[in-house]
Amino acid sequence: LEMAPRRSIIFALWDGEEKELLGSRHWISSPTVPLRQLKFAVNIDMVGRLQKNQHVEIGGVRTAPGLREIVSRHNQDSGLKADFPWEIP
């Protein structure tokens, strides 16, 4: 079953986060869409550095009703151990 998204999806990738969030600051100062139109953001940071038997921490799932359930359901067959920490560092 295919479903079209209800909103447009933008994939944005940048670098320079180790240099005082260089890429993020640039995009915020010159966004490709008006910032008021953004409804949701996913930050996939450091996932490529996972080692065998490690887990991925998924934060922000309490910011939208049902988000943790959606993430958990779509992760079931991945073999990736997901952790949903309560604390925000």
Side-chain angles (χ1 to χ4, degrees), residues 4-78:
R6 292 187 299 180
R7 294 184 163 86
S8 297
I9 299 174
I10 297 172
F11 290 89
L13 303 114
W14 46 76
D15 201 359
E17 301 309 278
E18 294 81 14
K19 294 188 180 260
E20 300 181 9
L21 304 175
L22 185 65
S24 299
R25 288 180 194 273
H26 174 74
W27 193 82
I28 290 296
S29 68
S30 304
T32 55
V33 296
L35 295 177
R36 62 178 166 31
Q37 291 181 1
L38 297 178
K39 302 296 180 192
F40 187 76
V42 176
N43 180 357
I44 304 173
D45 190 21
M46 305 289 283
V47 173
R49 295 184 182 236
L50 288 176
Q51 302 295 320
K52 187 176 183 176
N53 298 324
Q54 285 187 314
H55 65 277
V56 63
E57 290 185 0
I58 303 171
V61 293
R62 292 171 184 83
T63 61
L67 186 55
R68 182 177 174 157
E69 178 188 352
I70 292 168
V71 171
S72 296
R73 186 169 7 107
H74 288 283
N75 183 54
Q76 285 177 344
D77 298 329
S78 74

